[in-house]
Amino acid sequence: MLTGRRYRLEFDAGQRLSAERIAAVCRSVWNTALEQRRAYRRRSAFIGYAEQCRQLAEAKKDFPWLAEAPAQALQQTLKDLDAACRRHGTCKVRWKTRTRWRPSFRFPTPKQIPVQTINRRWARVFLPKFGWVRFRLSRPLGGAARSATVSRDGAHWFIAFLVEDGQSTPDAHARPETAVGVDRGVVTAAVTSDGEFFDRRHATACGVSSFEPPETGTADRAPDRGYLSPGEAERYLRLQRRLARARKGSARRRRVVRALGVVMGRVRRRRADFNAQAAHRLTRDYAHIVLEDLNVRGMTASASGTAAAPGARVAQKSGLNRAILDKGWYGLEVALRAKARYTGSVIDKVPAAYTSQTCSAPACGRVDAKSRESQAVFRCTACGQVEHADVNAAKCIKIKGQAAGPVVSGRGDLGGARVGEASSTRSTARGAPRAAA
Ligand SMILES: [Zn+2]
């Protein structure tokens, strides 16, 4: 199946400059071509990829700077624009602004980007307009490259290969009967119905740790506190304050933005690492993985906020903190789906309404907001079962996922969804709340 492999390129100063230049040319071609498409659209006409390609070749005679970029990278830009316009509609496709765009360009033809291994640690790739560029072979390429995208992330340039790795999704998961529910913990990033806590703070060490009480102090106010050390969080907040004072367009502001980018890049990489490790363990151990559906919970949270006793979660996961949690959660789902292609696991999503208030004991299932004794403790008001609140919620999520019937694991679908499943948000017996007496 197709997969991505990303490596850091070792550009010299000159190559870095021309990469910046090529990306800028691609950006302006994107913006000009988009403007042209919109102009045609305004007078109810249409211009397509083929015609724009022809005009681009013509424009190269008048604007020699267009030739600074490799021809195929420019064509690919037009092709990407074409795809974007088809998918989203010409008027909704975004301009690539200098601040909001990550510089990148793509080489679509494998023949023009040959890769050679130099030794166990290093390889090199030939890029048109660049010549041979070395990159650290941090992991084997594991197949033939189909295409390559060169992009800058912070101060460094990277190359991402699209690789056919020759593997396929197994017919069935190695442990076919296994199932797990996964809940977003309040303190730890993810909690399973088997009582496993995936903690992002220890993501680099082992991926899993036992439950720890929440941290307090300045670190709490920084984004993704779990991914930053207290010192880093401190620095982040200091930079934020400095940014607020810096004048727009000043050199000082640019410096602060760059420094913030370094911190945020660290967060991004740690989060990706955590997601990859958690996804690896979950897909290896379970054939059926049930997650909570975020959008549904968002709706129920605002709705139940008006009730007499709003769920404890409404306050805990509010505002920006919650938005950040949601973002990380989506990343985990993406990572799970990617890994599930190799193990044959099925990823399911269920509405998370009332999972934090429902008793997970098989014979009970009572829904009562009062059962949620505190952030960490769930004590059922009906049967008296005591459980860690997040584990209880994860168990409810698993029950909901299984109530929809058995899953067909394996290669039913590339995405690993249930075969014949139209919507991931089906309602089950436990989905409807039973009123607490
Ligand atoms: Zn109970």
Side-chain angles (χ1 to χ4, degrees), residues 255-367:
R255 271 202 308 277
V256 177
V257 166
R258 204 174 308 144
L260 271 172
V262 171
V263 178
M264 289 315 288
R266 221 172 278 161
V267 168
R268 222 167 37 241
R269 286 191 293 277
R270 283 178 196 162
R271 186 201 284 143
D273 180 57
F274 168 80
N275 286 340
Q277 293 198 36
H280 168 73
R281 289 180 55 103
L282 288 169
T283 52
R284 181 193 63 190
D285 294 346
Y286 299 102
H288 186 194
I289 300 164
V290 189
L291 305 173
E292 56 176 324
D293 198 334
L294 282 181
N295 297 329
V296 176
R297 170 172 275 187
M299 275 167 357
T300 50
S302 56
S304 66
T306 56
R313 254 153 211 269
V314 180
Q316 281 157 3
K317 291 183 176 178
S318 62
L320 181 65
N321 187 30
R322 180 181 160 142
I324 290 162
L325 280 172
D326 287 359
K327 217 166 121 197
W329 190 245
Y330 178 70
L332 179 61
E333 187 194 330
V334 171
L336 278 169
R337 289 197 189 280
K339 299 264 181 199
R341 299 190 304 162
Y342 291 92
T343 62
S345 302
V346 174
I347 316 291
D348 236 346
K349 290 206 289 182
V350 297
Y354 303 101
T355 47
S356 63
Q357 305 171 17
T358 308
C359 176
S360 64
C364 180
R366 164 74 74 103
V367 181

Side-chain angles (χ1 to χ4, degrees), residues 70-147:
Q72 49 168 331
L74 290 182
Q75 279 167 22
Q76 189 58 48
T77 303
L78 289 179
K79 208 176 272 181
D80 290 343
L81 176 69
D82 187 56
C85 288
R86 273 168 207 275
R87 188 184 295 171
H88 305 293
T90 308
C91 298
K92 282 194 182 145
V93 174
R94 287 246 183 116
W95 305 111
K96 292 190 187 289
T97 67
R98 202 184 291 266
T99 47
R100 277 228 300 265
W101 181 50
R102 184 184 287 185
S104 78
F105 46 94
R106 194 135 66 100
F107 296 101
T109 326
K111 252 200 324 215
Q112 283 169 312
I113 44 162
V115 180
Q116 283 180 358
T117 311
I118 297 172
N119 55 37
R120 205 159 50 81
R121 294 204 171 148
W122 292 93
R124 61 178 190 169
V125 58
F126 187 88
L127 297 175
K129 304 268 180 194
F130 288 93
W132 288 102
V133 186
R134 292 208 314 167
F135 61 89
R136 181 82 161 76
L137 203 57
S138 47
R139 65 185 293 191
L141 200 55
R146 291 281 192 84
S147 69

